[in-house]
Amino acid sequence: MRDERLIVVALGGNAFQSRGDRGSPREYWANAYKSAEIIVDLVELGYKVVVTHGNGPQVGVIDEWMFLGLKMKGLPPMTLDIAGAMSQGWLGYILQQAVYNKLVERGLLNKRVRGVVSLITQTLVDKNDPDFKDPSKYIGPWYEKEEAEKMSREYGWIFKQDPRGGFRRVVPSPDPVRQIELEAAKTLINNDFIVILSGGGGVPVYINERGFLEGVEAVVDKDLAAERIATSIRAGILMILTDVDKVYLNYGRPDAKPIDIMTLSEAKRYYAEGHFKPGSMGPKILAAIRFIENGGLEAIIAHLNKAREAVEKRSGTRVVPDHILKT
Ligand code: ADP
Ligand code: MG
């Protein structure tokens, strides 16, 4: 049985940094408050909300600056899993404070919810995932070609051309299996806490021969990680919030067509036909497909500013099981 009032919300990059922002703390707080507003709106509508978010720009910035800063001082570099954990702390802190303050403002703290907590989360991955051989996840800032080539030579980083322009560092993005801290999260969720977990997809770890956890240098896709959470806690709804109003067929072309609703079979067909770009809309649709296949009631992909309309079926794109009559 699925809980139709339990919703997992996956926040995209624009939840913290808007297009054109330079990444100042002021901008981070302003964006986080908008995101917090949305989360608290959902609480007010009667939903139990679980939150996750991406970290692509931040994990890249942390890793790069630590690398360069430590190098300048002749100190050994940090690792990407540690940078991932730091990004969870950074964004988790900002969001949990913003949501807390919004709950206070609306008089909902200790009524509908008892508190907000972000969890440093580890996500189990396969150490032999094919992505380790052919990295696909863009992180950090955008560079000109020459600059990227220079950094690649000097630091051994891999750069690829970003479809949105410029060159960006890429790192492996193994498929998430499950979140290690899931039981702890469930305990908090069942006790009416808003939990922010698996930030940046969660820090990727594997289980070694002795049964111990070990971090790996990679960044998990947050949309695929969100599906793992939603399926594991038996949420009714998986809502992926991003910077486009709807999912489109033939995106970016003159004949682009927005989708209001698609069945699982349709989503799979369009996915196979290549309508959704890898590294952006691709993983969102894949997460939606997996969620519905695993028994989810509805996956929604919508603009961050239209979350409320989207749960009320007035905005966004919905993916539903095949037996649901499209209305
Ligand atoms: P987020 O940080 O929310 O994960 P992404 O950039 O990864 O954001 O994904 C959202 C982007 O996906 C949109 O800005 C859009 O440019 C791109 N995109 C690719 N294919 C499609 C599609 N078929 N329909 C809509 N958007 C698409
Ligand atoms: Mg993305």
Side-chain angles (χ1 to χ4, degrees):
M1 269 297 288
R2 290 288 174 145
D3 182 349
E4 58 187 34
R5 287 274 141 188
L6 181 57
I7 184 166
V8 172
V9 177
L11 300 170
N14 61 336
F16 295 101
Q17 235 182 318
S18 307
R19 210 167 283 227
D21 277 0
R22 297 185 65 223
S24 69
R26 240 170 76 140
E27 290 163 340
Y28 266 81
W29 283 112
N31 290 311
Y33 268 100
K34 278 191 219 152
S35 310
E37 189 98 51
I38 288 152
I39 292 162
V40 177
D41 275 347
L42 293 171
V43 171
E44 211 151 46
L45 285 171
Y47 288 97
K48 225 175 207 211
V49 189
V50 178
V51 184
T52 188
H53 59 82
N55 73 342
Q58 296 81 16
V59 72
V61 161
I62 295 170
D63 196 62
E64 196 173 304
W65 291 0
M66 294 260 289
F67 181 89
L68 299 174
L70 293 166
K71 192 175 155 68
M72 233 163 55
K73 291 196 157 42
L75 296 166
M78 205 50 61
T79 56
L80 197 52
D81 54 326
I82 295 178
M86 289 169 84
S87 75
Q88 287 186 348
W90 167 2
L91 301 174
Y93 156 63
I94 289 180
L95 194 57
Q96 93 184 24
Q97 188 179 99
V99 174
Y100 181 99
N101 286 341
K102 280 286 160 198
L103 289 168
V104 171
E105 190 179 83
R106 297 214 204 156
L108 291 171
L109 191 67
N110 296 322
K111 298 221 168 60
R112 209 64 76 68
V113 291
R114 289 167 63 201
V116 197
V117 61
S118 47
L119 296 182
I120 299 294
T121 311
Q122 305 173 85
T123 299
L124 185 66
V125 302
D126 179 354
K127 211 182 141 202
N128 298 313
D129 192 287
D131 218 77
F132 284 108
K133 293 218 174 75
D134 185 19
S136 68
K137 170 81 187 165
Y138 293 100
I139 63 165
W142 283 256
Y143 290 102
E144 295 297 329
K145 192 163 189 249
E146 295 70 39
E147 216 174 348
E149 279 169 354
K150 184 164 174 274
M151 293 175 100
S152 177
R153 270 196 312 274
E154 282 181 22
Y155 311 138
W157 293 341
I158 304 170
F159 286 85
K160 279 187 186 166
Q161 196 158 12
D162 190 319
R164 281 162 286 192
F167 282 76
R168 243 181 135 189
R169 205 179 144 196
V170 285
V171 296
S173 191
D175 214 8
V177 178
R178 67 180 161 85
Q179 282 82 7
I180 302 292
E181 288 75 17
L182 196 79
E183 286 306 315
K186 271 193 207 164
T187 306
L188 289 161
I189 296 162
N190 292 337
N191 282 283
D192 297 320
F193 286 89
I194 295 179
V195 183
I196 302 162
L197 81 158
S198 198
V203 181
V205 296
Y206 75 102
I207 299 177
N208 71 17
E209 311 73 45
R210 299 174 63 198
F212 299 148
L213 297 173
E214 254 180 71
V216 284
E217 296 214 57
V219 175
V220 174
D221 182 84
K222 69 109 177 26
D223 298 311
L224 299 180
E227 183 279 327
R228 297 286 67 221
I229 300 168
T231 294
S232 313
I233 65 172
R234 310 186 80 68
I237 306 173
L238 168 62
M239 183 153 75
I240 299 176
L241 297 176
T242 181
D243 61 358
V244 279
D245 58 340
K246 278 176 203 286
V247 178
Y248 287 77
L249 295 178
N250 303 320
Y251 183 73
R253 300 213 317 239
D255 59 343
K257 188 170 159 259
I259 307 168
D260 292 324
I261 183 167
M262 53 183 159
T263 61
L264 174 62
S265 299
E266 287 169 335
K268 283 166 108 170
R269 194 174 78 234
Y270 299 146
Y271 186 83
E273 286 171 1
H275 284 280
F276 316 119
K277 295 206 181 97
S280 59
M281 192 49 73
K284 297 182 203 314
I285 301 294
L286 186 57
I289 289 172
R290 288 178 178 177
F291 180 62
I292 302 299
E293 274 182 336
N294 287 324
L297 304 178
E298 175 173 274
I300 304 170
I301 298 164
H303 195 285
L304 179 70
N305 301 338
K306 298 267 179 69
R308 201 180 170 117
E309 289 89 335
V311 284
E312 291 170 342
K313 306 190 195 328
R314 291 186 284 116
S315 188
T317 298
R318 295 191 297 140
V319 182
V320 294
D322 284 344
H323 64 265
I324 300 289
L325 280 180
K326 295 207 277 175
T327 46

